[in-house]
Amino acid sequence: MPPGSLPLRRFGHALVVAIVATAIAAYGIAAANPSYAATNPFERGPAPTLASIQATTGPFAVSTTTVASSATGGRFGGGTIYFPTDTSQGTFGAIAIVPGFTERQSSISWLGPRLASQGFVIFTIDTNSTGDNPTSRATQLLAALDYLTQTSSVRAEVDASRLGVSGHSMGGGGTLEASVSRPSLKAAVPMAPWDANVKNFSNDSVPTLIVAAQNDTIAPVKQHALVFYNSIPTTQPKMYLELAGASHTATNHANTTQAQYEISWLKRFIDNDTRYTQFLCPTPSTSSTISSINNTCPF
Ligand code: 9J3
């Protein structure tokens, strides 16, 4: 027997002992806690149903806290954080949402309680100026996420590795631009996106749900939403949801069609929660509220 074999064999024994010990420990945790699943640590809330994703309020109670514009160092215009009060399940994924040209938080505020009550931290923001362009809105969205995870009073409740962005109109253009700037984002939801400078998002790798409005005369889909959607590679998870008969500001007010697909999208890609895949794949059909719908299932 070569001289080196004994230490090697000893090391091998130690490794086996370690593996067995780890397996016993893992089994012990699983046996002691029936909710411990070797599946998805980011899953939050009960198994979804069509009724639960269409409901105006989800299973989590929500509180709010405001961020003054004076607290941001000029990086964005302040905002409102909507957060689940139950922290017993661990941290939550989070998204920042920015309004459009001339708009303020009131244009997006319905999404705060709607999405947070499903188990996300939602930061609706104002811009420094209501005239800021999409590129500036992108920078402000990312600054808001940094504020949320590093400085805000709820930072301990936010999982900084599971973040997303959303916005309306110029804020939707900003959402797409922010995705290109920060590919580590897990999801993006541009709403009636408008962007005159950037039309090609072939370098966007963030799973993106574009919510478009069929009768949008301010950001016509053939010059904006559809162009952006088609420019994202078909190898990426992406989805195009066009609200039937809707105008540019359709997403400024609560609507069930947007909510059910947006909740499913955020759950699937921010929480990696495949319990929601059933609402996204196979690609849903058009309906009385959906004039066009497309995506890159499976996911
Ligand atoms: O943010 C938006 O609603 C886009 C509106 C728009 O057409 O801006 C033109 C300057």
Side-chain angles (χ1 to χ4, degrees), residues 100-101 169-170 194 218 248:
F101 183 65
S169 196
M170 282 194 188
W194 184 98
I218 294 171
H248 185 59

Side-chain angles (χ1 to χ4, degrees), residues 9 50 52 68 70 87 114 134 141 146 166 176 183-184 197 217 220 234 292:
R9 183 175 290 179
L50 184 60
S52 77
S70 57
T87 54
R114 187 88 173 216
L141 275 172
D146 293 341
S166 179
L176 288 155
S184 62
N197 288 334
T217 54
T234 55
S292 177

